Amino acid sequence: QVQLVESGGGLVQAGDSLRLSCAASGRTFSSSAMGWFRQAPGKEREFVAAISWSAGSTYYADSVKGRFTISRDNAKNTVDLQMNSLKPEDTAVYYCAAPKGMIPRWTMKSLLSYDYWGQGTQVTVSS
């Protein structure tokens, strides 16, 4: 069992930066990949970024590549998402997620690979 709690969302202007944090509790965090997903009103939940269990590999959606950076601190059981050059289209509820165990890299972008989800944090970017 893993509990995930996101924080750091808020209202910002286009071009600003925001850092989201996900705090995890449980014994599987350090051995699991972690992902960030987002969902805008009326739209499907979509992949944003993921990081391997060892933090040696990161993956990003094309829409955020070059602007967002995912990182993790296994000692503190946290995973962060640094978001720079924010755009209005980044407005969404952002969720962090974790699988039950290690997963192959080709599955890290899929919602179905993740078993534990946070409650979400709202990010709103004004023009």
Side-chain angles (χ1 to χ4, degrees), residues 8-20 38 67-68 81-92 94 121-127:
L11 174 63
V12 298
Q13 298 179 4
D16 284 353
S17 297
L18 201 61
R19 190 178 185 91
L20 306 182
R38 67 187 182 186
R67 299 188 298 120
F68 290 11
L81 184 68
Q82 177 66 45
M83 304 184 293
N84 297 328
S85 301
L86 283 163
K87 305 174 181 179
E89 50 262 45
D90 294 319
T91 296
Y94 284 70
T121 185
Q122 177 71 48
V123 173
T124 303
V125 184
S126 62
S127 60

